[in-house]
């Protein structure tokens, strides 16, 4: 259960999540009786018949969606302030607005299915079970981070959850993801690989190379295009002749999904996983939106209007959608949800405070893990004379 | 034509005075209407002039339409139209290949790669197509009108993929030119020369200096010749060679060394391929010592080429091995950037710089030989103590 996982990961500073208030209600947070909800929009498909619009969920799942998405949102906002305070250096690409994609996907798959994504990876990491403390430590470059502080914002990884990270070069993860799928097929694991890329990366040649290979060899690869309509500063209509990214696989079937609806994402991913295991690659296009600019150096308003951003926030925000569902189904009250959000805020603040206290990696770490341990390379000081060290 | 220009300009060159560089102009214009500009504004001006003077020139790349992520292309789309200044999709290989094709039809294509770290998907196009086009077609076709601009180098917080210096990879390719300016005035002149040069040019701009470097830049159209290094500071004890943003670091090292009584000659290479061997050779023959500094990792960096060539040409005049004070052999790190970078302290403490042996200090030739052997074999003993002794 996502809820209990998150609270067990919280530090000793936090109060355990109070379930007492919910016990008084008729539907408690652990209720798993199925609720059927219709997705916001029907699925559009290419070369395949789309899954049904009716999604099975439960109160427990909806509450966990809400809490997890609120956590992700809060984390990204906190990262924004930390970047402005210069505690996070480098480049920081925020995912707020797109949380439903990460959450819906997790609900449909297991930890044995691999996920590989681009540099906008903070929330995907959290969805895979990553902790807030590891995330903030990595952002601030501390040893307690998930990549030991050596990767930074763009390079979050989690091996035990099959999260193959965080890649800086646009589109470079596409052939990698198909390679992962090949390994999974070879070892008969009944697992699939989800390769996420953006609408900007959809124009990279290596994506088509990867698609061709995946289709030729029937690899269990699900390619997910997170279409937030802007590749850095260029709108999709100005960069792609065909912005129907789910159709761009040509001979590979595709599905277009409302990426702001976590339940639609869950349904699509479940469908895609079944398809990939039997028939080979499939493309999912998630129609989503990012509120921040491309990165923290980008205000996000030079190529789109503020009205557009606030419009999407009012009408399509993923957290609001789940909130309305929860209230409509009488699972929790408005106040309880607000309390949950406050709880989440405290959790994030505590993780930030703890991460700030963490140490920076030792200078010797500059040279570690370039090669396999023991293979050794040499390093020199200025002009190659004064210091000669054999590196680990 | 370029060589004629070069010969003409060589006569005009005044090997850098201590007061800084002299501007070399191909026009007879002497009116020095100058403006204080930073690097991105100077590059912007150069692009405006290039597009204005040649109606068949185009500027394109990712996000250049609104001015580019570093504001180098501001105002171009508004002034020259979306037909000549346009955004491309996110595909470096496609962009450069497209530029090569455009140049092959006699146009000037000025391609922007958003960060030099992303130039690798286009590496095949540059090395296998652009560099060899003229050669393999027996001079029927060429893509000389191609200029690829990319911001390179550390910026303080760039991490793995916003700080790389890939110039060494391109210096290994006969057929293209590699040009790196050090300041706004140089950048404008060198960029105009690169765009108008009849060979494909890869132009790396030091991104650290986009806003940091401010200089008086002449407003008119001027070009600085390629493949000519410039001596920006004269000295007698040691030659320092560098390019781009690293020169500011080396200048600091020179000033520090001057306080110790060491007079340094600083050379800006400007064009790395083909590079001006004569200037560096003449300088090393004068001083007898060479220190090369660049941000890229030391192994296989361009400093190795300079070192090998100077060794071939000046072996008997060298008083110490050639020093390379460069980035470490690691991927460009995130938090460890201050350790990785070749700082002025590393340069100052390098054995070549910290204790130059002046001939007049040798008592007898034998002592000279013994001292030199001692210095080279026990590097850890090079301290300020020994500097005092030999001064």
């Amino acid at each position: 259960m996502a809820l209990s996982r998150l609270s067990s990961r919280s530090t000793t500073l936090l109060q355990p999540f109070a379930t007492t208030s919910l016990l008084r209600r008729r539907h408690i947070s652990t209720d798993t009786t199925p609720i059927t909800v219709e997705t916001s929009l029907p699925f559009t498909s290419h070369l395949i018949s789309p899954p049904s619009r009716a999604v099975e969920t439960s109160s427990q799942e909806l509450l966990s969606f809400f809490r997890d998405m609120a956590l992700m949102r809060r984390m990204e906002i906190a990262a924004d302030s930390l970047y402005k305070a210069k505690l996070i250096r480098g480049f920081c690409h925020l995912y707020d607005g797109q949380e439903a994609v990460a959450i819906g996907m997790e609900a449909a798959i297991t930890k044995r299915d691999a996920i590989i994504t681009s540099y906008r990876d903070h929330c995907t990491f959290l969805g895979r079970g990553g902790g807030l403390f590891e995330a903030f430590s990595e952002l601030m470059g501390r040893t307690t981070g998930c990549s030991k502080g050596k990767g930074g914002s763009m390079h979050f990884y989690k091996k035990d959850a099959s999260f193959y990270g965080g890649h800086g070069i646009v589109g470079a993860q596409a052939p990698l993801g198909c390679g992962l799928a090949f390994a999974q097929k070879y070892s008969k694991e009944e697992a699939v690989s989800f390769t996420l890329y953006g609408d900007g990366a959809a124009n990279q040649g290596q994506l088509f190379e990867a698609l061709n290979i995946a289709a030729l060899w029937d690899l269990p690869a699900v390619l997910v295009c997170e279409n937030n309509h802007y590749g850095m500063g260029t709108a999709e209509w100005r960069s792609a002749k065909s912005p129907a990214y789910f159709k761009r696989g040509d001979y590979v079937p595709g599905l277009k999904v409302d990426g702001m609806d976590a339940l639609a994402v869950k349904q699509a991913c479940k469908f895609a996983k079944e398809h990939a295991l039997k028939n080979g690659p499939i493309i999912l296009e998630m129609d989503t939106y990012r509120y921040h600019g491309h990165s923290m150096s980008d205000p996000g308003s030079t190529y789109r209007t503020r009205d557009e951003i606030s419009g999407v926030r009012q009408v399509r925000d993923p957290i609001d959608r789940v909130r309305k569902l929860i209230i409509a189904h009488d699972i929790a009250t408005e106040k309880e949800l607000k309390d949950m959000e406050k709880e989440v805020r405290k959790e994030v603040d505590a993780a930030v405070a703890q991460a700030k206290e963490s140490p920076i990696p030792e200078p010797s770490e500059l040279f570690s893990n370039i090669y396999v341990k023991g293979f050794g390379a040499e390093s020199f000081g200025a002009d190659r004379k004064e210091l000669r060290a054999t590196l680990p | 034509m370029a060589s004629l220009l070069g010969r003409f300009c060589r006569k005009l060159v005044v090997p850098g005075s201590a007061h800084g560089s002299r501007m070399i102009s191909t026009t007879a214009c002497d009116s020095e209407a100058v403006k204080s500009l930073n690097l991105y504004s100077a590059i912007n001006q150069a692009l405006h002039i290039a597009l204005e003077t040649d109606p068949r020139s185009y500027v394109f790349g990712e996000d250049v339409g609104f001015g580019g992520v570093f504001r180098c292309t501001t105002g171009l789309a508004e002034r020259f139209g979306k037909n000549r200044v346009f955004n491309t999709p996110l595909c470096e290989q496609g962009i450069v290949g497209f530029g090569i094709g455009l140049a092959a039809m006699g146009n000037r294509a000025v391609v922007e790669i958003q960060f030099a770290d992303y130039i690798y998907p286009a590496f095949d196009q540059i090395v296998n197509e652009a560099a060899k086009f003229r050669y393999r077609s027996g001079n029927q076709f060429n893509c000389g009108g191609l200029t690829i601009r990319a911001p390179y180098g550390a910026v303080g917080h760039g991490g793995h993929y916003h700080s790389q210096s890939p110039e060494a990879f391109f210096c290994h390719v006969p057929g293209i030119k590699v040009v790196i300016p050090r300041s706004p005035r140089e950048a404008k002149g060198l960029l105009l020369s690169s765009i108008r040069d009849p060979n494909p040019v890869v132009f790396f701009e030091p991104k650290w200096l986009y806003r940091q470097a401010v200089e008086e830049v002449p407003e008119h159209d001027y070009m600085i010749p390629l493949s000519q290094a410039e001596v920006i500071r004269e000295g007698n004890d040691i030659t320092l060679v560098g390019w781009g943003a690293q020169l500011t670091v080396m200048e600091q090292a020179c000033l520090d060394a001057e306080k110790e009584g060491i007079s340094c000659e600083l050379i800006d290479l400007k064009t790395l391929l083909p590079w001006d061997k004569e200037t560096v050779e003449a300088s090393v023959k004068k001083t007898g010592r060479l220190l090369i500094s660049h941000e890229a990792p030391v192994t296989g960096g361009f400093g190795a080429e300079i070192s090998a060539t100077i060794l071939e040409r000046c072996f008997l005049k060298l008083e110490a091995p050639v020093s390379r004070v460069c980035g470490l052999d690691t991927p460009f790190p995130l938090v460890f950037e201050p350790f990785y970078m070749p700082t002025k302290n590393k340069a100052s403490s390098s054995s070549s710089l910290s204790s130059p042996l002046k001939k007049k200090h040798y008592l007898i030739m034998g002592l000279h030989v013994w001292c030199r052997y001692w210095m080279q074999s026990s590097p850890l003993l090079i301290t300020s103590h020994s500097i005092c002794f030999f001064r």
Side-chain angles (χ1 to χ4, degrees):
Chain A
M1 326 283 101
L3 261 177
S4 52
R5 244 193 296 125
L6 281 168
S7 23
S8 66
R9 196 164 278 105
S10 59
T11 67
T12 49
L13 296 169
L14 292 183
Q15 305 287 343
F17 180 72
T19 51
T20 47
S21 56
L22 284 176
L23 281 170
R24 276 185 262 125
R25 301 211 53 83
R26 282 169 299 150
H27 302 256
I28 57 172
S29 62
T30 50
D31 188 357
T32 47
T33 45
I35 304 174
T36 310
V37 181
E38 274 231 326
T39 61
S40 58
L41 294 169
F43 298 104
T44 333
S45 65
H46 169 70
L47 292 186
I48 200 173
S49 31
S52 128
R53 269 178 87 175
V55 187
E56 257 199 24
T57 179
S58 67
S59 351
Q60 179 197 36
E61 186 172 64
L62 285 173
L63 276 171
S64 78
F65 275 10
F66 181 82
R67 191 176 203 280
D68 292 345
M69 285 203 276
L71 193 76
M72 289 176 178
R73 179 71 59 94
R74 195 83 310 269
M75 179 182 74
E76 296 296 69
I77 307 281
D80 181 317
S81 353
L82 284 173
Y83 191 90
K84 289 182 176 139
K86 300 222 173 175
L87 281 161
I88 297 178
R89 307 305 309 285
F91 292 81
C92 194
H93 307 84
L94 299 176
Y95 201 71
D96 53 325
Q98 298 182 213
E99 298 91 353
V101 176
I103 284 295
M105 189 180 292
E106 284 302 324
I109 62 179
T110 69
K111 288 292 182 285
R112 281 177 42 248
D113 298 306
I115 296 187
I116 188 170
T117 181
S118 68
Y119 41 78
R120 211 177 290 279
D121 57 355
H122 309 162
C123 300
T124 321
F125 172 73
L126 234 61
R128 286 266 89 179
L132 278 175
F133 173 58
E134 278 92 54
F136 282 117
S137 302
E138 187 60 39
L139 283 172
M140 294 198 262
R142 312 293 168 112
T143 13
T144 41
C146 51
S147 305
K148 314 267 186 309
K150 293 176 64 170
S153 159
M154 299 200 285
H155 304 105
F156 282 25
Y157 294 85
K158 195 162 169 48
K159 182 161 187 186
D160 53 7
S162 309
F163 178 50
Y164 289 82
H167 296 267
I169 301 296
V170 168
Q173 71 274 18
L176 264 75
C178 293
L180 296 174
F182 183 88
Q184 286 171 327
K185 176 169 180 167
Y186 200 91
S187 55
K188 298 194 177 28
E189 282 177 3
E190 296 294 303
V192 300
S193 292
F194 281 79
T195 305
L196 281 71
Y197 60 95
D199 49 297
N203 300 314
Q204 279 276 331
Q206 43 194 335
L207 182 69
F208 295 96
E209 295 181 11
L211 262 175
N212 181 48
I213 288 178
L216 193 62
W217 297 335
D218 288 323
L219 302 181
V222 180
L223 290 115
V224 180
C225 178
E226 290 180 287
N227 182 9
N228 55 26
H229 306 284
Y230 293 94
M232 288 187 294
T234 307
E236 64 176 344
W237 60 273
R238 286 195 307 149
S239 72
K241 177 72 181 172
S242 159
Y245 296 103
F246 67 108
K247 287 191 186 163
R248 297 246 286 221
D250 186 22
Y251 38 81
V252 175
L255 199 65
K256 184 167 172 162
V257 185
D258 178 6
M260 305 295 253
D261 179 357
L263 291 169
V265 173
K266 173 187 162 187
Q267 181 85 321
C269 290
K270 192 150 146 271
F271 175 76
K273 177 171 173 174
E274 280 157 18
H275 182 273
L277 282 171
K278 278 204 304 282
N279 306 323
I282 178 171
I283 298 181
L284 295 180
E285 181 187 334
M286 304 288 179
D287 186 350
T288 180
Y289 199 83
R290 54 166 161 82
Y291 298 143
H292 271 89
H294 163 71
S295 73
M296 286 304 301
S297 334
D298 172 20
S301 48
T302 48
Y303 46 86
R304 53 183 188 175
T305 59
R306 289 193 205 279
D307 288 337
E308 182 189 301
I309 305 172
S310 49
V312 173
R313 208 189 269 271
Q314 274 160 24
V315 175
R316 297 180 66 203
D317 185 70
I319 301 181
D320 282 341
R321 180 189 303 275
V322 176
R323 192 201 306 267
K324 287 191 190 112
L325 269 174
I326 291 177
I327 293 173
H329 282 92
D330 217 10
I331 300 170
T333 62
E334 180 87 40
K335 183 178 178 313
E336 276 158 4
L337 293 178
K338 280 219 167 23
D339 287 342
M340 211 186 274
E341 281 181 311
K342 284 201 193 110
E343 176 75 41
V344 155
R345 197 185 179 127
K346 282 208 211 97
E347 199 176 324
V348 167
D349 289 342
V352 170
Q354 198 185 3
K356 277 184 190 169
E357 303 297 315
S358 304
I360 288 190
E362 287 294 307
S364 58
E365 286 290 322
L366 172 57
F367 303 108
S368 64
N369 302 127
I370 297 174
Y371 294 100
V372 160
K373 199 173 171 69
F375 254 38
E378 284 187 299
S379 171
F380 304 92
D383 82 66
R384 300 171 77 83
K385 286 188 183 59
E386 304 210 357
L387 154 72
R388 185 169 277 135
T390 306
L391 306 174
Chain B
M1 189 220 144
S3 56
L4 201 71
L5 206 65
R7 271 192 293 239
F8 171 68
C9 283
R10 232 180 270 269
K11 295 195 187 113
L12 291 179
V13 171
V14 175
S17 61
H19 305 292
S21 59
R22 289 277 178 87
M23 181 202 74
I24 302 149
S25 174
T26 56
T27 65
C29 179
D30 263 322
S31 63
E32 302 258 338
V34 291
K35 206 164 158 209
S36 196
L37 291 179
N38 57 24
L39 187 68
Y40 76 74
S41 307
I43 288 173
N44 187 238
Q45 243 186 39
L47 289 172
H48 272 272
I49 292 173
L51 287 176
E52 197 182 308
T53 49
D54 185 349
R56 292 179 69 187
S57 47
Y58 307 85
V59 171
F60 51 94
E62 292 157 23
D63 295 325
V64 302
F66 75 84
V69 289
F70 291 111
R71 329 294 308 133
C72 292
T73 48
T74 32
L76 290 175
E78 287 84 357
R79 188 169 162 203
F80 298 102
K82 294 254 164 71
N83 290 332
R84 291 178 68 192
V85 179
F86 48 92
N87 285 347
T88 56
L90 218 167
C91 43
E92 289 74 18
Q93 182 173 21
I95 294 169
V96 171
F98 176 85
I100 294 171
L102 199 56
M105 291 286 245
N107 302 295
R108 287 197 211 283
V110 183
V111 174
E112 177 177 303
I113 299 287
Q114 200 160 81
F115 281 89
D117 313 58
Y118 311 147
I119 203 169
Y120 304 113
F123 193 68
D124 172 66
Q125 285 287 339
I126 297 171
V127 170
N128 281 330
E129 303 303 322
K132 302 177 166 79
F133 210 163
R134 190 190 290 273
Y135 187 84
R136 67 179 190 232
S137 68
N139 206 16
Q140 285 182 74
F141 291 108
N142 70 82
C143 56
L146 178 69
T147 306
I148 301 167
R149 290 178 39 241
Y152 88 102
V155 74
H157 56 269
H160 307 286
Y161 298 117
H162 295 81
S163 321
Q164 290 178 39
S165 305
E167 70 267 3
F169 295 112
F170 296 95
C171 292
H172 195 52
V173 187
I176 57 169
K177 294 195 175 183
V178 179
V179 179
I180 306 185
R182 70 167 186 272
S183 73
R185 179 189 284 204
E186 295 291 310
K188 181 174 167 183
L190 285 170
L191 184 56
L192 281 167
S193 296
S194 303
I195 293 174
R196 293 166 179 166
D197 189 273
N199 296 294
V201 177
V202 181
F203 189 83
F204 287 117
E205 299 160 2
K207 65 171 87 70
W208 200 324
L209 301 181
Y210 272 140
R211 281 171 215 269
Q212 301 268 29
V214 180
E215 203 180 14
E216 300 280 306
V217 178
E219 298 209 337
H220 63 271
D221 183 351
Y222 68 96
M223 307 209 299
I224 293 178
L226 300 184
S227 295
Q228 281 193 28
E230 186 184 343
V231 181
I232 52 183
R233 191 189 168 84
E234 289 206 19
N236 296 305
D237 294 328
I238 181 170
T239 303
L240 275 72
V241 175
W243 51 86
Q246 190 61 12
L247 284 168
T248 46
V249 173
M250 289 163 87
E251 197 141 35
Q252 289 302 312
C254 289
L255 291 169
D256 287 351
E258 199 148 55
K259 296 194 190 104
E260 311 247 332
I262 300 167
S263 137
C264 305
E265 181 145 301
L266 186 57
I267 298 182
D268 176 11
L269 217 49
K270 295 202 233 192
T271 304
L272 265 62
L273 182 75
W275 63 285
D276 185 356
K277 300 174 183 160
E278 283 75 29
T279 303
V280 180
E281 184 188 341
S283 173
V284 175
K285 281 189 167 148
K286 181 172 78 164
T287 62
R289 286 160 179 270
L290 178 61
L291 186 150
I292 307 161
S293 188
H294 56 70
E295 281 174 25
V298 61
T299 300
F302 194 62
E305 156 66 25
I306 300 176
S307 172
T309 306
I310 292 301
L311 203 67
E312 278 168 10
R313 294 183 176 208
C314 312
F315 180 70
L316 293 173
K317 297 279 188 164
L318 280 173
E319 295 181 13
V322 175
S323 265
R324 289 181 290 160
V325 179
C326 306
L328 302 173
D329 286 330
T330 69
F332 198 100
L334 188 60
V335 290
F336 298 118
E337 188 170 325
F339 294 112
Y340 169 93
M341 293 291 284
T343 56
K344 69 167 176 131
N345 291 329
K346 285 189 188 176
S348 303
S349 64
S350 118
S351 63
S352 287
L353 194 58
S354 59
S355 58
L357 303 174
K358 295 186 203 277
K359 284 207 172 109
K360 63 189 179 198
H361 292 147
Y362 308 146
L363 302 173
I364 45 174
M365 280 313 289
L367 183 63
H368 162 76
V369 169
W370 180 83
C371 288
R372 201 149 36 114
Y373 176 80
W374 179 72
M375 293 290 277
Q376 283 177 348
S377 60
S378 46
L380 290 172
L381 297 177
I382 297 167
T383 59
S384 56
H385 173 77
S386 53
I387 295 171
C388 295
F389 174 71
F390 283 111
R391 241 193 267 164

